[in-house]
Amino acid sequence: MLAAYADSFHPDQPLDGLVVGQRPDPDVPDGWELVTVRAAGLNHHDLWTLRGVGLAEDKLPMILGGAAAGVTEDGREVICHGVVAGPDGRGDQSDPDVSFSLFSEHHPGTHAERLAVPTVNLVDKPEDLSFDEAACLPVAWLTAYRMLFVRGGFTPGDTVLVQGAGGGVSTAAVLLGVAAGLEMWVTSRDPDKADRALELGAHRAFASGERLPRRVDGVLETVGKATWEHSLKSTRDQGTVVVAGMTSGDAPGGLPHLFFRQLNVVGSTMGTRRELQALVHFLVTTGVRPLVDETYPLADAEQAYRRMADGDLFGKIVLTT
């Protein structure tokens, strides 16, 4: 089958290790199902994998990708929850004693024509969600949902700052937050992306690092080094910074802000199957839909990866098969 996979690690030039070619069909253990992939989302996790982060060298070659929607062998249209909990995939991600991984870490990823998925990870795709839209949900949109409503615990009337407008998580956060009655602010170093975030419904947009007119109740932080100090300075006393990534690198410092103003800093990774179901329900009932920047055939995955690496996107990039 055709797949996009990591063949080697290149920390500085990650795309040098990307190969688009033939791979064996996946093994399907007991309790798992074979899904024919219709659409698969790209995420920055895939670039980190190509750099050698989160994947052991003895796992190469590894099919990339953590998000997909497709059809099971019995014709069921599904969204594939990307967290594999426990050694057999049947564990509970919420249990702190159960280890979990994401597709493309211990198990082949979603950027392929076919994918083996634990049966418990399959969520029914509503008819009014396209496969392209559904493929945005298991990573970027679920991450944003968990950051806002589970780990952040933000409620209507709260003001939340999203660092770095334009990416999949940030656009998801704006759309979800506005629909839930939050006041959503964004930052961007690109004025065009800031304007587009306002068109999506963001209430205020600021240049990266710009001093805000007032401190906010919470910040969604996925950028890391480039925005970390600004995130801490921008959060009100006893407010919350939710961290789910570091696309610009690790973020040092900031301890005086943490203890003196009693900030809450919480980590967040993906989300549970139950939260994915809640996210799907949220979209169906509100009419909110993922913003797809562009779709590429799986055969053109290298072009899609390059586009994501360059940062020239607004919304999600999706591979189709």
Side-chain angles (χ1 to χ4, degrees), residues 12-320:
D12 298 325
Q13 300 291 333
L15 297 187
D16 287 353
L18 173 66
V19 177
V20 181
Q22 293 297 313
R23 295 297 301 155
D25 278 1
D27 295 327
V28 185
D30 290 342
W32 293 50
E33 293 191 41
L34 185 67
V35 173
T36 297
V37 176
R38 294 287 184 84
L42 266 68
N43 297 282
H44 278 277
H45 180 272
D46 305 315
L47 292 177
W48 286 110
T49 299
L50 288 164
R51 292 185 175 100
V53 177
L55 181 66
E57 193 164 5
D58 61 6
K59 293 286 187 179
L60 295 175
M62 173 61 77
I63 297 174
L64 298 162
V71 181
T72 63
E73 292 188 293
D74 61 1
R76 179 184 173 196
E77 296 185 350
V78 294
I79 304 167
C80 304
H81 180 225
V83 180
V84 181
D88 60 359
R90 304 183 199 181
D92 181 358
Q93 177 191 352
S94 301
D95 186 341
D97 295 324
V98 173
S99 62
F100 66 87
S101 65
L102 311 180
F103 283 131
S104 78
E105 293 181 346
H106 295 296
H107 305 279
T110 64
H111 294 173
E113 293 178 305
R114 288 172 287 281
L115 172 71
V117 184
T119 300
V120 296
N121 282 37
L122 299 177
V123 172
D124 288 326
K125 183 189 78 66
E127 289 185 3
D128 54 352
L129 270 183
S130 70
F131 281 105
D132 293 352
E133 293 168 338
C136 300
L137 303 186
V139 176
W141 276 68
L142 182 57
T143 295
Y145 181 93
R146 182 173 176 83
M147 291 178 81
L148 281 171
F149 306 124
V150 181
R151 299 296 285 158
F154 303 119
T155 57
D158 286 344
T159 301
V160 178
L161 175 70
V162 181
Q163 293 282 20
V169 174
S170 61
T171 54
V174 168
L175 289 166
L176 290 170
V178 170
L182 306 178
E183 184 173 354
M184 301 301 297
W185 294 4
V186 301
T187 67
S188 180
R189 58 187 177 183
D190 183 335
D192 290 337
K193 289 185 178 180
D195 288 342
R196 293 192 66 184
L198 293 171
E199 291 172 3
L200 286 183
H203 298 87
R204 301 285 297 273
F206 304 90
S208 294
E210 181 180 347
R211 182 169 182 170
L212 305 183
R214 58 179 168 84
R215 286 177 170 150
V216 297
D217 297 296
V219 177
L220 303 191
E221 174 62 79
T222 61
V223 179
K225 183 177 180 179
T227 57
W228 179 245
E229 186 175 358
H230 184 257
S231 291
L232 297 180
K233 289 180 177 179
S234 299
T235 307
R236 66 166 173 80
D237 291 3
Q238 300 185 47
T240 301
V241 179
V242 187
V243 184
M246 52 176 195
T247 56
S248 68
D250 203 354
L255 289 179
H257 289 284
L258 289 180
F259 68 78
F260 188 72
R261 295 197 290 110
Q262 303 184 74
L263 302 183
N264 302 300
V265 177
V266 298
S268 187
T269 296
M270 299 280 280
T272 66
R273 180 180 180 275
R274 187 183 298 274
E275 289 160 6
L276 178 57
Q277 290 175 310
L279 168 60
V280 171
H281 180 74
F282 187 105
L283 298 189
V284 170
T285 55
T286 62
V288 172
R289 291 294 180 269
L291 178 63
V292 177
D293 179 275
E294 192 165 351
T295 62
Y296 293 82
L298 178 59
D300 295 336
E302 183 176 354
Q303 182 181 352
Y305 269 76
R306 195 166 302 281
R307 176 98 182 275
M308 180 173 65
D310 290 343
D312 181 25
L313 72 159
F314 195 87
K316 291 296 296 176
I317 293 176
V318 176
L319 300 175
T320 58

